[in-house]
Amino acid sequence: SLVVDSVVPLQIDLVAGIGKNSQKAFEVTFAACAADATCAAKYPDSMSQLREVATALDEKPVTLDGYELKSRDFLKILFQLLYTPSGVAVVPLLIDKAASNDFTLFEKLSGGGRGGGGLSLGMHLSLHCAEEIPFTSAEIVAEEDATVFEELRAGFSGDYYLGYCEHWPVPPAPVTENDAITTTIPTLVFSGSFDPITPPAYADEILKGLSNAR
């Protein structure tokens, strides 16, 4: 038997989907807030606030601890917070504070806008540049990103992988890398409701090839 968590179906274009999956994760977060009376009263329209803050930061970046914070940086740090329950819980608050030009708490969480560690970038790129980038293109990514709010597109898009992989010398994976998994092995698939990179929709997709799974 098999248990898998936070799946990416092989047939999915992960890089092209990053932008719309990111926006969807924020929409799910804000919907959860709207379903809670206290949260809804404090933060009634976080998406509008987020779009306004992104526009304002592009027009006039904020300096945090000597670091110039633009919308792309702000959005990517918020994106990282969606990976943990404690992070998700403060996203509406951070956006509301930023809408009032108060970045004090955001600066503490982000380390002055520089973000956190915990990721081996070399290993990360070795996988993505071999298994994802050879099977997508700038045109495909742009087409998928067109569904994302324009103000949020730069911060949510996965197009930066295209640039990274031009300079990361790994051979492409074989085309079978995109073949969907099929198996009769009893399988349990887990996904996080707020996960911005491997959303529940990916679990639904992989279940199509798993005849004995839930």
Side-chain angles (χ1 to χ4, degrees), residues 181-204:
I181 293 293
T182 57
T183 183
T184 60
I185 295 174
T187 305
L188 180 61
V189 185
F190 282 101
S191 286
S193 298
F194 303 104
D195 194 325
I197 200 71
T198 54
Y202 281 4
D204 294 336

Side-chain angles (χ1 to χ4, degrees), residues 8-12 175-183 205-210:
V8 178
L10 298 186
Q11 68 272 25
I12 290 291
V175 293
T176 52
E177 175 64 29
N178 281 328
D179 290 347
I181 293 293
T182 57
T183 183
E205 181 65 28
I206 204 171
L207 283 178
K208 296 175 182 178
L210 309 181

Side-chain angles (χ1 to χ4, degrees), residues 92-115:
L93 168 63
L94 291 172
I95 295 170
D96 186 63
K97 291 287 189 181
S100 300
N101 203 36
D102 180 357
F103 292 88
T104 306
L105 179 58
F106 182 84
E107 184 172 18
K108 291 179 180 179
L109 288 174
S110 66
R114 290 182 290 275

Side-chain angles (χ1 to χ4, degrees), residues 13-21 136-137 140-142 144-145 158 202:
D13 188 334
L14 177 65
V15 172
I18 288 176
K20 63 182 181 182
N21 287 336
T136 191
S137 67
I140 294 173
V141 174
E144 292 295 312
D145 283 348
Y202 281 4

Side-chain angles (χ1 to χ4, degrees), residues 75-156:
L75 293 171
K76 288 190 179 301
I77 292 169
L78 290 181
F79 172 93
Q80 292 296 325
L81 291 174
L82 298 183
Y83 279 98
T84 63
S86 58
V88 172
V90 299
V91 165
L93 168 63
L94 291 172
I95 295 170
D96 186 63
K97 291 287 189 181
S100 300
N101 203 36
D102 180 357
F103 292 88
T104 306
L105 179 58
F106 182 84
E107 184 172 18
K108 291 179 180 179
L109 288 174
S110 66
R114 290 182 290 275
L119 175 73
S120 169
L121 183 60
M123 175 62 76
H124 186 73
L125 291 179
S126 291
L127 291 170
H128 277 58
C129 296
E131 298 177 1
E132 296 296 336
I133 291 302
F135 309 108
T136 191
S137 67
E139 291 74 22
I140 294 173
V141 174
E143 183 177 352
E144 292 295 312
D145 283 348
T147 64
V148 179
F149 291 128
E150 185 175 358
E151 309 95 317
L152 309 180
R153 208 169 290 163
F156 287 167

